[in-house]
Amino acid sequence: MEYLIHILIIAGIYIILTLSLNLIVGYTGLPALGHAAFSCIGAYTSSLLALKFGISPWIGVFVGAVFGALLGIIIGYPSIRLKGDYFALATFGFGIIVYSIAKNWVSLTRGPMGLPGIPSFSLFGYEITKTWQYLIIVLVFALITLFILRRIVNSPFGRVLKSIREDEIASETLGKNTIKYKLMVFVIGAFFAGIAGSLYAHYITFIDPSSFTVMESITVLLMVIFGGMGSISGSIVGAMTLVVF
């Protein structure tokens, strides 16, 4: 039973990652290949805050998400004007850069040795150590992510994203600042990826750079494609199916 709950927790974390990437790839049509970089930033930020400063993981999750969003601005601003394969290569390169920094900045991240002993969540002084308790936390974050992203894609903002995916030039002729919209959606996706990375770190209680390679980004992209790009429910099905497999 513990193993099944573990699978559900990992699936819940990947659902958050897949939903956030689907917003970028499926709804906006941006071929991003460095999504694991944002979860890496979220995981290391939250973990280091807890280990070095004793900051609660509840706060660390959101700080990690904010740092992920900031990285999204740093990556997105220079690369968002690129088209197609060039954008994919730019995000691919940034993913490798973030991985390399995590691996080689030993004084901060401990490099390949990783960060052990990451504290788990606690509630009213009670540390959450049982897997079924952590499953509830992950489900709450997954449901919040699902609710927010569903509202986004069904809003006028979401309809602009779909128009950019279908014909960016036509969107521009209607007076839409497509660069601004693409950057905003990139930052939103990075924010939720940061949350997923933080949840993973505080659940496993150990992270190292090998958890955030470019292959991890491709895995999440495969989940998006498997479930169907531009589909909220498809992201859930794709993540659940591939994690179980």
Side-chain angles (χ1 to χ4, degrees):
M1 189 64 181
E2 288 284 317
Y3 177 68
L4 292 176
I5 296 174
H6 167 74
I7 292 295
L8 289 174
I9 291 171
I10 298 299
I13 293 171
Y14 272 102
I15 284 172
I16 297 173
L17 277 171
T18 307
L19 285 169
S20 60
L21 182 60
N22 202 2
L23 187 67
I24 299 170
V25 177
Y27 284 95
T28 317
L30 300 176
L33 292 179
H35 209 55
F38 307 124
S39 60
C40 178
I41 291 295
Y44 272 98
T45 299
S46 185
S47 300
L48 289 170
L49 287 174
L51 290 170
K52 292 185 178 294
F53 303 104
I55 293 176
S56 168
W58 294 104
I59 299 174
V61 165
F62 292 102
V63 176
V66 169
F67 271 75
L70 290 174
L71 180 67
I73 296 173
I74 294 170
I75 293 176
Y77 187 77
S79 61
I80 210 76
R81 292 167 178 78
L82 300 174
K83 306 290 184 182
D85 296 341
Y86 298 102
F87 178 81
L89 288 172
T91 54
F92 182 86
F94 277 115
I96 293 175
I97 290 170
V98 171
Y99 167 77
S100 298
I101 291 173
K103 186 176 181 180
N104 294 296
W105 196 350
V106 179
S107 61
L108 180 67
T109 67
R110 286 173 45 91
M113 295 181 291
L115 296 175
I118 300 169
S120 186
F121 287 90
S122 60
L123 195 62
F124 304 116
Y126 174 74
E127 188 174 1
I128 296 172
T129 56
K130 297 185 183 299
T131 52
W132 67 267
Q133 295 170 329
Y134 205 89
L135 175 61
I136 294 173
I137 293 174
V138 171
L139 284 177
V140 168
F141 276 99
L143 288 172
I144 292 172
T145 304
L146 176 64
F147 174 77
I148 293 174
L149 296 189
R150 187 182 292 277
R151 290 295 298 270
I152 288 174
V153 299
N154 291 328
S155 68
F157 179 84
R159 288 193 285 273
V160 174
L161 299 182
K162 295 171 190 175
S163 73
I164 293 172
R165 178 191 64 194
E166 298 300 328
D167 194 329
E168 185 174 346
I169 296 174
S171 296
E172 291 175 347
T173 60
L174 292 173
K176 303 300 181 183
N177 186 342
T178 58
I179 298 296
K180 182 185 76 172
Y181 278 94
K182 289 193 291 185
L183 182 59
M184 288 173 65
V185 78
F186 203 72
V187 171
I188 293 170
F191 178 88
F192 285 102
I195 289 178
S198 298
L199 290 173
Y200 175 81
H202 291 289
Y203 171 61
I204 301 297
T205 69
F206 173 83
I207 55 170
D208 67 347
S210 65
S211 300
F212 308 101
T213 62
V214 173
M215 283 306 300
E216 185 70 13
S217 298
I218 294 174
T219 299
V220 180
L221 180 61
L222 287 174
M223 292 176 178
V224 173
I225 295 171
F226 185 83
M229 291 194 294
S231 169
I232 293 290
S233 57
S235 295
I236 298 171
V237 172
M240 288 287 293
T241 303
L242 292 186
V243 167
V244 169
F245 283 164

